[in-house]
Amino acid sequence: MSGAEAQPTRSRRLVSPSPEETHRLGVKLGQLLQPGDFVGLIGDLGAGKTHLVRGVAEGAGVAQSEVASPTFAIVYPYEGRIPLYHADLYRLTDYDELYATGFLDLVGGEHAMLVEWLDRIPQAAPRDFLRVTLRHEGEDARSLDVEAFGARPVALLDAWLG
């Protein structure tokens, strides 16, 4: 069973009042990431995934000039305090197509992973992971529903959001 089929071990909801705060939340998460961490991001276009990803990358020590959308490459590697893989599943249609990209060979390695559009192929998530769902809550505000699946993701959630 993949993590996407399980019930979360712990969850937390918060509201970010601005894109800048969403970015700051990402920086804090990026500072806490360890090799093997998997963070899945869900949200409509414009929900704040990019602000969060740029913050996570900054917190992980990745130069801002290196952070780009991997929409056309599917997975983009970044070098920072720890290696960070940033994936975007938007263009993929199913698990078989994801499998053919080699993505699954990257899960659980000596790096952290950020995966946008995880809801398109939820089976891409390992058993233990953190899922962040972003939603519009007005012009600039966004809600973040954060769900931890497994012991390490619970520790990460607690350290990140208290």
Side-chain angles (χ1 to χ4, degrees):
M1 170 170 39
S2 75
E5 299 165 345
Q7 293 298 313
T9 307
R10 181 165 299 149
S11 61
R12 176 108 188 264
R13 184 170 212 260
L14 67 143
V15 174
S16 170
S18 68
E20 295 79 20
E21 179 60 22
T22 301
H23 180 89
R24 278 191 290 278
L25 285 166
V27 170
K28 186 173 180 186
L29 177 58
Q31 291 168 340
L32 297 167
L33 287 180
Q34 296 177 5
D37 287 340
F38 184 107
V39 179
L41 303 173
I42 298 172
D44 293 335
L45 291 171
K49 294 183 303 294
T50 299
H51 290 291
L52 190 67
V53 164
R54 288 184 183 278
V56 170
E58 180 181 323
V62 176
Q64 285 299 297
S65 61
E66 301 216 4
V67 181
S69 174
T71 299
F72 296 104
I74 308 301
V75 179
Y76 198 87
Y78 303 128
E79 287 299 323
R81 173 183 57 80
I82 63 169
L84 179 65
Y85 283 98
H86 177 200
D88 187 319
L89 307 183
Y90 184 76
R91 292 183 326 128
L92 300 178
T93 58
D94 59 29
Y95 186 81
D96 290 338
E97 191 175 2
L98 177 65
Y99 181 82
T101 68
F103 169 89
L104 299 173
D105 295 334
L106 300 174
V107 176
E110 290 301 311
H111 49 269
M113 292 192 77
L114 288 174
V115 180
E116 293 188 58
W117 298 99
L118 183 63
D119 53 324
R120 294 189 58 81
I121 307 175
Q123 311 92 308
R127 181 176 301 275
D128 293 351
F129 74 109
L130 196 66
R131 180 169 59 203
V132 181
T133 303
L134 296 101
R135 292 185 181 88
H136 296 269
E137 293 290 337
E139 189 171 327
D140 289 329
R142 301 294 184 261
S143 64
L144 287 80
D145 290 303
V146 184
E147 298 169 294
F149 297 81
R152 168 61 192 154
V154 165
L156 181 59
L157 172 59
D158 288 348
W160 182 30
L161 301 177

